[in-house]
């Protein structure tokens, strides 16, 4: 993967629609975002539906509207090893050469038949496929279940050393936390690219719920900005753009030039962000 400082690498994340009725003008969304020459698009799995079929449909839909690579998120928690490997083989057949390897949140039903964590999944995929890109999740403010910051960092290093090519971060708003995370990884000898996950916030109340769940901090200055506009959705949409532009610029200043946009299956806000960079 190349990192060109004057032009950041960008990628866009989609999630599978719950029903066909929601698809609407999604093909246009992909085509609009495609004009920004993303390095890849990605399609999540498991967060809203454990079956692979909705992810498959979404991957196909994206592939039909771009020639850019489409990465598949694969979660171990809801697929036993055989089902997971069969699915990856099928994805490979349909041209997918990039997997975002994850454990997922829904771990209550995991048994010995499942890969127990993302590191095990990365090792299993790398053993079988030498020609795919593998990304893993990284948590600048540490994963919510981690015993300590150091344990989380050591574990992230293990995931990368198991054969992953890069990490995509959880969304964040505190660039100081990202700076520390980057330095901590460098101290551990990790030199694989950090892809910064950017969440444009068009619904502050909803984001606060997500941030609480994921244990992501929300700086006071950001809170004040959003609180000042209240429930005004147009003003929040404008803040989503300006706040994200600032975040990308502050992140670039740290020497990180890869950005993965959690674009919520919509083009408008992300388009405005990228045009404003
Ligand atoms: P893991 O890397 O396996 O880690 C889980 C926890 O276990 C961590 O606290 C880790 O420190 C600890 N741990 C595991 N093994 C060890 C060990 N050997 N020693 C010490 N500690 C250990 N969720 C979805 O459902 N679908 C998606 O498509 C999806 N996409 C995502 C994309 C990105 C970029 C990110 C950041 C998250 C995504 N998630 C998704 C959320 C993710 O599934 C959850 O955060 C989940 O709780 C952890 O998944 P993981 O792959 O990071 O887990």
């Amino acid at each position: 993967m190349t990192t060109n400082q004057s032009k950041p690498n960008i990628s866009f994340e989609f999630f599978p629609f719950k029903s066909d009725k929601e698809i609407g003008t999604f093909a246009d969304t992909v085509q609009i975002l495609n004009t920004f020459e993303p390095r890849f698009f990605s399609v999540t799995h498991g967060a809203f539906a454990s079956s692979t079929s909705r992810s498959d449909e979404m991957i196909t839909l994206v592939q039909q509207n771009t020639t850019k690579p489409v990465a598949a998120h694969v979660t171990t928690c809801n697929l036993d090893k055989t089902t997971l490997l069969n699915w990856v083989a099928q994805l490979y057949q349909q041209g997918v050469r990039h997997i975002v390897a994850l454990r997922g949140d829904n771990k209550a039903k995991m048994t010995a038949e499942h890969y127990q964590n993302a590191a095990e999944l990365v090792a299993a995929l790398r053993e079988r496929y030498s020609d795919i890109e593998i990304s893993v999740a990284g948590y600048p403010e540490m994963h919510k279940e981690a015993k300590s910051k150091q344990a989380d960092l050591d574990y992230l290093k293990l995931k990368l050393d198991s054969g992953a090519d890069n990490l995509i971060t959880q969304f964040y708003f505190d660039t100081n936390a990202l700076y520390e995370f980057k330095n901590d990884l460098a101290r551990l000898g990790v030199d694989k690219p950090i892809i910064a996950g950017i969440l444009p916030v068009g619904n502050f109340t909803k984001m606060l719920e997500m941030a609480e769940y994921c244990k992501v901090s929300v700086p006071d200055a950001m809170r004040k900005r959003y609180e000042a506009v209240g429930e005004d959705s147009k003003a929040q949409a404008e803040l989503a753009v300006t706040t994200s532009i600032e975040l990308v610029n502050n992140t670039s200043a740290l020497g990180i030039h890869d950005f993965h946009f959690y674009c919520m299956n919509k083009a408008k806000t992300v388009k405005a962000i990228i045009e404003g960079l």
Side-chain angles (χ1 to χ4, degrees):
M1 161 178 174
T2 56
T3 299
N4 177 342
Q5 296 207 359
S6 58
K7 193 169 178 274
N9 289 313
I10 51 176
S11 51
F12 301 113
E13 181 172 308
F14 300 129
F15 56 84
F17 290 109
K18 284 188 209 155
S19 75
D20 290 349
K21 278 189 230 146
E22 294 173 32
I23 294 174
T25 56
F26 179 69
D28 296 343
T29 299
V30 181
Q31 287 167 24
I32 292 166
L33 294 176
N34 199 46
T35 61
F36 294 107
E37 296 286 325
R39 192 171 77 77
F40 65 91
F41 290 93
S42 83
V43 173
T44 66
H45 165 70
F48 299 107
S50 58
S51 105
T52 56
S53 60
R54 298 238 54 113
S55 294
D56 281 337
E57 285 161 17
M58 192 68 167
I59 290 165
T60 304
L61 191 53
V62 181
Q63 283 178 325
Q64 283 166 350
N65 287 282
T66 182
T67 54
K68 296 292 177 192
V70 182
H73 294 219
V74 172
T75 53
T76 66
C77 69
N78 46 12
L79 301 170
D80 63 61
K81 290 178 188 173
T82 308
T83 309
L84 185 151
L85 292 174
N86 286 341
W87 185 37
V88 173
Q90 178 215 305
L91 289 167
Y92 189 89
Q93 283 295 318
Q94 76 181 77
V96 172
R97 293 290 183 278
H98 185 171
I99 300 290
V100 182
L102 302 144
R103 186 202 65 190
D105 271 332
N106 189 11
K107 55 178 188 165
K109 290 191 181 148
M110 281 171 77
T111 68
E113 301 303 312
H114 295 75
Y115 294 112
Q116 296 301 302
N117 51 52
E120 282 190 13
L121 174 59
V122 170
L125 294 177
R126 187 52 82 212
E127 192 186 331
R128 290 164 178 81
Y129 301 93
S130 58
D131 62 340
I132 61 169
E133 178 173 339
I134 302 178
S135 301
V136 291
Y139 302 86
E141 296 173 86
M142 95 184 197
H143 185 257
K144 57 184 186 262
E145 293 164 31
K147 289 200 174 70
S148 67
K149 193 176 168 194
Q150 190 57 47
D152 207 36
L153 289 165
D154 289 341
Y155 173 64
L156 176 54
K157 178 170 165 29
L158 173 70
K159 284 203 279 195
L160 289 161
D161 289 348
S162 300
D165 297 290
N166 50 51
L167 69 97
I168 305 176
T169 75
Q170 176 64 281
F171 69 91
Y172 65 96
F173 306 108
D174 178 358
T175 33
N176 290 329
L178 186 70
Y179 178 68
E180 262 185 46
F181 177 70
K182 182 175 182 276
N183 285 347
D184 287 340
L185 287 175
R187 255 194 301 279
L188 287 177
V190 171
D191 59 0
K192 292 184 176 173
I194 296 173
I195 304 176
I198 304 292
L199 177 69
V201 180
N203 182 332
F204 191 65
T205 306
K206 209 163 154 193
M207 182 283 289
L208 284 179
E209 283 168 24
M210 277 166 68
E212 170 65 27
Y213 179 72
C214 299
K215 300 283 173 253
V216 169
S217 63
V218 181
D220 284 345
M222 183 176 178
R223 274 180 201 274
K224 282 190 186 130
R225 268 189 195 178
Y226 276 87
E227 281 164 10
V229 303
E231 298 301 311
D232 181 342
S233 54
K234 189 163 172 275
Q236 287 209 21
E238 283 164 13
L239 276 181
V241 175
T242 50
T243 307
S244 299
I245 289 173
E246 268 177 37
L247 189 60
V248 170
N249 287 336
N250 291 340
T251 301
S252 287
L254 303 180
I256 293 174
H257 303 290
D258 292 69
F259 296 94
H260 185 68
F261 289 93
Y262 298 111
C263 58
M264 300 295 164
N265 294 358
K266 299 212 162 44
K268 194 175 169 196
T269 303
V270 176
K271 180 175 183 288
I273 295 165
I274 296 169
E275 286 172 347
L277 288 174

